[in-house]
Amino acid sequence: RAAQVMEKGIDLAKRRMIVGIPYMDNETEGDVGFPIAMNFFTGLHTLEHLYVPQPGMEAREHIDIEFVSYGGDLNMSLGIYDRLRTVSVPVHMYVYGPCQSGGSLILQAATQRYISRNTTLMLHYGFTGDEVTSDPRRLQEAVRHHNDLMDTLVRIYLSRCNRTRLTEKRLRDDIMRIESYFDAETCVRLGLAD
């Protein structure tokens, strides 16, 4: 049973989940999309309700998540972020390697955000995948929706960062407009990781 569960990226004994690793059989492993979202949702549901340890299991007061991601679908990333914020126990996220785009957004939902020395975070305004249309009304609505989502991204990053080192103006005008990459030391200094 434990080996079967670990195949799905969940270690019940250690209350740990591994997401974005190459156990998926497609070329977008590590990208935030429906399969990764389902791994988060089912894994969090399983681990969140594991209050009483079984024999041979560690008593843990938090959930550990090992995570790596090149990013992916913005709406799925926001869904995962929202789900992580509803977990009833603290979530400690450990990032080893890339944590880019939607991945860096997801990281902000964790109670504790640990990144390895060689981790790189990338922030930018995301892409929503909204359908481009020639209908001006639909195009206007898509632009409004996109701008609302970008405001949400900025709000999320600012909610966790060191506001004396990373202002809203700098985040909007300098960092989010391009793909901005940060090493681990800079992430900690800016408050994007702990």
Side-chain angles (χ1 to χ4, degrees):
R1 173 103 171 110
Q4 179 186 14
V5 171
M6 195 55 208
E7 282 181 23
K8 303 291 186 195
I10 301 170
D11 183 339
L12 293 176
K14 293 185 178 176
R15 205 170 188 184
R16 178 174 292 255
M17 193 166 77
I18 302 170
V19 181
I21 58 172
Y23 63 83
M24 296 177 61
D25 295 321
N26 65 40
E27 57 202 45
T28 60
E29 60 198 35
D31 286 353
V32 178
F34 188 77
I36 294 293
M38 290 304 97
N39 286 347
F40 264 106
F41 298 158
T42 57
L44 288 170
H45 176 79
T46 301
L47 295 175
E48 184 177 21
H49 295 93
L50 199 65
Y51 293 114
V52 182
Q54 306 291 322
M57 297 173 72
E58 288 182 42
R60 300 293 285 290
E61 295 181 4
H62 64 273
I63 293 171
D64 289 333
I65 299 175
E66 292 184 22
F67 183 58
V68 59
S69 175
Y70 285 103
D73 184 277
L74 175 59
N75 291 306
M76 285 292 185
S77 298
L78 286 167
I80 294 167
Y81 173 90
D82 287 344
R83 176 61 179 100
L84 281 163
R85 300 293 290 175
T86 67
V87 175
S88 60
V89 296
V91 174
H92 297 186
M93 191 171 288
Y94 300 83
V95 178
Y96 304 97
C99 187
Q100 300 174 359
S101 189
S104 67
L105 177 71
I106 291 166
L107 176 64
Q108 302 311 305
T111 312
Q112 291 292 312
R113 304 159 298 161
Y114 302 104
I115 59 176
S116 67
R117 178 176 299 145
N118 295 308
T119 290
T120 301
L121 259 65
M122 186 271 285
L123 282 66
H124 68 139
Y125 283 125
F127 303 101
T128 60
D130 288 334
E131 183 181 333
V132 177
T133 178
S134 60
D135 179 345
R137 288 172 298 202
R138 289 183 60 203
L139 186 57
Q140 249 180 339
E141 181 57 26
V143 168
R144 187 200 61 74
H145 176 67
H146 178 79
N147 289 338
D148 288 348
L149 284 175
M150 298 312 108
D151 288 345
T152 299
L153 295 181
V154 168
R155 180 183 47 76
I156 288 170
Y157 287 119
L158 287 176
S159 73
R160 297 299 306 270
C161 75
N162 181 336
R163 302 272 317 251
T164 60
R165 297 187 184 265
L166 186 59
T167 64
E168 181 174 352
K169 180 173 178 27
R170 181 175 174 215
L171 184 63
R172 283 184 185 277
D173 296 347
D174 300 334
I175 294 172
M176 300 292 284
R177 289 205 184 281
I178 60 172
E179 291 183 351
S180 298
Y181 294 84
F182 299 98
D183 63 21
E185 186 177 315
T186 304
C187 289
V188 170
R189 191 176 77 250
L190 294 175
L192 297 169
D194 299 311

